């Protein structure tokens, strides 16, 4: 996956005028490669800056949401299975509002299209879904693209200092208990 993402970044960087189009299409291909939306948005901030990267990410994420809407409406059996899965994860009687979906989209480990499914359930039409999708995608694209630009503007000295501080912190926050099974602790010598 790392080699693939490096290859895609190289293609987009050398794309010239087609780079924004390639970047937006990469948002559409993202679900096929199981890449997180956050990774793509940060990449957009590194490559295009905060303003252009945010705009391209909003377009790409919204198009991805629209494609998801079309695919899920085309396959009603899959829609029913996803709704049952969502009810197991979130709860049977809970409906998220657009504001809640917007906040949850900022959490990197929550599945993007699960939240799109929540928007489909609360929307009355395709237009309503698209509006809610755009509203919930703007903060996601802005925040993570800004983080990408911030990373791109850091000097190697600051990045090294950050990593040197981060490594002891990771060590200090490790799991400090060891579980030894009863049979392993009290081994019978033969």
């Amino acid at each position: 996956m790392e080699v693939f993402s490096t290859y895609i970044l190289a293609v987009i960087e050398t794309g010239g005028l087609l780079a924004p189009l390639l970047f937006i299409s990469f948002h559409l291909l993202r679900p096929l490669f199981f890449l997180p939306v956050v990774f793509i948005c940060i990449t957009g901030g590194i490559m295009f800056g905060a303003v252009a990267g945010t705009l391209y990410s909003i377009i790409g994420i919204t198009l991805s949401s629209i494609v998801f809407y079309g695919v899920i409406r085309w396959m009603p059996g899959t829609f029913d299975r996803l709704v049952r899965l969502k009810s197991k994860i979130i709860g049977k009687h809970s409906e998220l509002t657009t504001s809640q979906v917007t906040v949850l989209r900022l959490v990197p480990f929550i599945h993007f299209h699960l939240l799109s499914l929540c928007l489909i359930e609360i929307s009355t039409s395709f237009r309503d879904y698209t509006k809610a999708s755009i509203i919930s995608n703007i903060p996601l694209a802005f925040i993570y693209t800004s983080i990408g630009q911030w990373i791109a503007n850091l000097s190697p000295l600051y990045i090294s200092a950050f990593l040197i501080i981060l490594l002891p912190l990771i060590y200090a926050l490790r799991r400090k208990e060891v579980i030894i099974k009863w049979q392993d602790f009290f081994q019978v010598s033969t």
Side-chain angles (χ1 to χ4, degrees):
M1 182 165 142
E2 197 172 314
V3 172
F4 178 75
S5 62
T6 305
Y7 175 73
I8 293 296
L9 288 176
V11 168
I12 291 174
E13 285 176 350
T14 59
L17 293 175
L18 294 177
L21 189 60
L22 288 171
F23 181 74
I24 291 169
S25 63
F26 192 56
H27 270 288
L28 295 173
L29 296 174
R30 176 198 54 77
L32 299 175
F33 299 113
F34 302 106
L35 294 172
V37 175
V38 173
F39 171 74
I40 308 297
C41 289
I42 289 174
T43 303
I46 292 170
M47 292 174 40
F48 301 111
V51 177
T54 300
L55 179 67
Y56 300 149
S57 288
I58 290 170
I59 292 169
I61 294 169
T62 303
L63 287 175
S64 178
S65 297
I66 290 170
V67 167
F68 176 74
Y69 183 89
V71 167
I72 213 67
R73 290 295 181 194
W74 181 55
M75 300 171 17
T78 305
F79 178 75
D80 294 337
R81 275 188 272 146
L82 288 175
V83 168
R84 283 193 304 269
L85 177 67
K86 183 204 86 81
S87 67
K88 286 180 185 178
I89 293 172
I90 297 176
K92 198 171 201 171
H93 301 290
S94 63
E95 276 192 1
L96 300 176
T97 64
T98 304
S99 302
Q100 289 172 320
V101 170
T102 303
V103 171
L104 286 173
R105 287 222 166 142
L106 296 175
V107 179
F109 302 110
I110 295 180
H111 196 274
F112 181 80
H113 288 305
L114 176 66
L115 295 174
S116 293
L117 181 71
C118 294
L119 288 177
I120 289 173
E121 288 185 330
I122 62 172
S123 301
T124 56
S125 65
F126 175 73
R127 183 180 184 153
D128 189 33
Y129 168 76
T130 305
K131 180 182 166 189
S133 182
I134 290 171
I135 289 169
S136 66
N137 291 337
I138 290 172
L140 167 75
F142 175 73
I143 289 173
Y144 286 111
T145 305
S146 298
I147 290 172
Q149 183 182 10
W150 176 73
I151 290 171
N153 291 334
L154 283 179
S155 71
L157 177 68
Y158 287 129
I159 292 174
S160 300
F162 178 71
L163 290 176
I164 289 171
I165 293 170
L166 188 63
L167 290 174
L169 186 64
I170 291 171
Y171 179 75
L173 296 175
R174 75 189 187 287
R175 188 174 181 173
K176 296 176 181 138
E177 62 185 41
V178 177
I179 299 172
I180 301 174
K181 293 184 179 182
W182 186 265
Q183 291 84 9
D184 294 336
F185 189 74
F186 292 109
Q187 290 183 347
V188 178
S189 26
T190 54

